[in-house]
Amino acid sequence: MKMRIEPNGSGGRGKMSSESRKGKRRQKRIPAVQKLYDTCKEIFADCGPGIVPSPENVEKLAAVLDGMTQEDVGLRPNMPCFSKDRAPIITYMRLHECDKFSIGIFCLPPKTVIPLHNHPGMTVFSKLLFGTMHIRSLDWADKADDCKTMSAVDPKNDNGLCLAKVKVNSELTQPCNTSILYPADGGNMHRFTAKTACAVLDVLGPPYCDPEGRHCQYYQELPFPQISVGGDVSVEAEEEEGFAWLKEMEKPDDHVIVGVAYNGPKIVRK
């Protein structure tokens, strides 16, 4: 009695196995940076200046960023833009920008600083990809008025100083969770100081736009106890370090950011 032996085993298993392998090839892993873009496009679709994504969507985007690494965007700490021997110049790589959101990476050599600045009407997600960075962030003390000037509390003091409350004043080292700030909370004004070479992946929704009034304003900070005021400003002595006076200023001359091309994994715009 002759027996027929089926290729790759008995019955139709050989065919099924081949189809399974083809299916697996078709199910390619979505690159992390593509998932980031797709998530941003989804959650910022119905947002705009001053409109914050729902808490569920905030968590969704934060979870994507929390899982991202330097390899996901093609960065290495030994790249020239992170060298301590180069001039203190910050490099920015733009991954995507539209009227709804922007995605970019700040590459900071050691000891470089992004001065205190604001994010008008924006929700901002910042993910430290590697390194150690000091973050100091503040919100206006009186959110109802945005900025309570000294002249508002003491007419004799009309010097443009505004009272702000410290939100964060600490160091972050990767691994760490994504930092999130909102139009009126979470430390909308912040300063980054690179303790080591570091990279920050930033998502802004919506991005800066001068014609629409979203100008990047820089601030000089003065410690609260050093300014004598009258009026209705009352802060307990033990809480004074939690407040500061801010004054608008022009972009510092030594604050230089150079744009370079992003050469990491490609993003497919849909």
Side-chain angles (χ1 to χ4, degrees):
M1 179 179 176
K2 294 183 178 180
M3 297 179 61
R4 188 177 69 176
I5 300 176
E6 297 285 349
N8 298 314
S10 61
R13 286 188 297 179
K15 182 178 181 181
M16 291 177 63
S17 178
S18 176
E19 290 178 350
S20 176
R21 286 194 297 271
K22 290 180 181 178
K24 288 181 179 180
R25 284 197 295 268
R26 285 194 296 266
Q27 296 175 358
K28 293 182 178 179
R29 176 181 174 273
I30 299 175
V33 71
Q34 182 68 49
K35 187 175 181 180
L36 173 62
Y37 168 82
D38 293 342
T39 304
C40 288
K41 185 176 180 181
E42 175 188 347
I43 76 162
F44 288 116
D46 298 321
C47 295
I51 301 176
V52 178
S54 69
E56 295 79 12
N57 280 338
V58 169
E59 288 298 320
K60 185 175 183 179
L61 179 51
V64 172
L65 285 163
D66 284 346
M68 293 190 68
T69 66
Q70 64 194 46
E71 290 83 6
D72 291 325
V73 290
L75 290 183
R76 302 182 311 280
N78 62 354
M79 293 172 71
C81 59
F82 299 111
S83 174
K84 64 180 180 180
D85 298 323
R86 63 173 289 168
I89 295 175
I90 297 168
T91 301
Y92 180 74
M93 301 178 182
R94 178 181 291 123
L95 280 67
H96 174 79
E97 183 168 330
C98 61
D99 60 345
K100 290 290 186 179
F101 66 93
S102 66
I103 305 173
I105 303 170
F106 288 97
C107 304
L108 293 87
K111 299 182 181 181
T112 50
V113 177
I114 298 180
L116 187 65
H117 63 284
N118 70 346
H119 305 82
M122 304 177 191
T123 303
V124 180
F125 299 73
S126 299
K127 168 62 176 176
L128 183 63
L129 295 174
F130 66 82
T132 297
M133 170 181 289
H134 182 271
I135 297 179
R136 182 171 175 86
S137 66
L138 306 95
D139 290 311
W140 296 124
D142 189 341
K143 295 184 176 63
D145 297 332
D146 271 351
C147 171
K148 177 172 283 189
T149 62
M150 284 183 63
S151 60
V153 299
D154 186 351
K156 296 179 182 179
N157 292 299
D158 187 15
N159 51 16
L161 293 178
C162 298
L163 185 62
K165 186 172 184 178
V166 177
K167 184 72 175 184
V168 176
N169 187 28
S170 61
E171 287 189 0
L172 286 181
T173 299
Q174 172 60 22
C176 57
N177 290 333
T178 301
S179 300
I180 308 170
L181 63 83
Y182 302 93
D185 194 16
N188 185 273
M189 297 163 286
H190 65 200
R191 176 174 64 241
F192 290 165
T193 303
K195 296 298 183 179
T196 68
C198 52
V200 182
L201 176 57
D202 247 15
V203 173
L204 278 61
Y208 290 106
C209 180
D210 285 350
E212 295 182 9
R214 295 192 301 282
H215 167 70
C216 182
Q217 178 62 57
Y218 293 89
Y219 297 93
Q220 177 186 7
E221 179 180 347
L222 296 174
F224 182 84
Q226 292 184 11
I227 307 295
S228 176
V229 298
D232 62 352
V233 172
S234 178
V235 177
E236 298 293 335
E238 63 270 18
E239 296 180 356
E240 288 184 349
E241 290 188 359
F243 290 83
W245 291 105
L246 304 185
K247 184 175 184 178
E248 293 184 359
M249 60 181 285
E250 295 296 321
K251 183 176 79 68
D253 292 337
D254 60 353
H255 176 47
V256 180
I257 297 181
V258 176
V260 299
Y262 165 70
N263 293 316
K266 302 300 181 184
I267 295 175
V268 178
R269 276 72 174 178
K270 301 175 182 178

